[in-house]
Amino acid sequence: ERKRTRDCDIYEDEEAKRSVMQRAAELLARLEKEYNLPSFVKCMLPSNVHLPKKFCTVNLPNEDTPVVLVDELGREHTTSYLLGRNGLSAGWRAFSMKHKLLKGDLLIFLLTQPCKFK
């Protein structure tokens, strides 16, 4: 049985982890106040992108569906949301490679429209 990598397994140094997570939480709080949109922070893991289950239950459809990711330059990238995995699939790998995302990078997802994240 394979063990799933967790966010807490990414950082070797506990102080570095605390610092990164604190800055991300502060930024998320500012964005939530400014935009008043559903959002979450996601730590990049080696090969997957699982979304918070509670977030998915409240904000995403109860079925597999296309999801659009809009990057910081306004470019749109289509991925697939898989309900059974609470995660993004088809299109995610290309998005992460194009943006040179690395294990441990933190991303903030803002749900700007149904099935559309900035």
Side-chain angles (χ1 to χ4, degrees), residues 11-45:
Y11 301 99
E12 293 177 18
D13 182 313
E14 194 63 33
E15 188 175 325
K17 174 186 169 188
R18 202 171 13 262
S19 173
V20 168
M21 296 303 213
Q22 181 180 352
R23 289 187 316 219
E26 290 168 0
L27 178 57
L28 185 60
R30 283 197 313 262
L31 291 172
E32 286 176 340
K33 186 176 181 181
E34 183 177 342
Y35 294 104
N36 195 29
L37 295 171
S39 58
F40 62 91
V41 174
K42 179 65 185 159
C43 179
M44 292 305 306
L45 300 176

Side-chain angles (χ1 to χ4, degrees), residues 65-81:
T65 189
V67 168
V68 175
L69 305 175
V70 181
D71 65 20
E72 64 279 358
L73 298 176
R75 297 176 297 206
E76 295 188 357
H77 308 270
T78 302
T79 64
S80 294
Y81 167 66

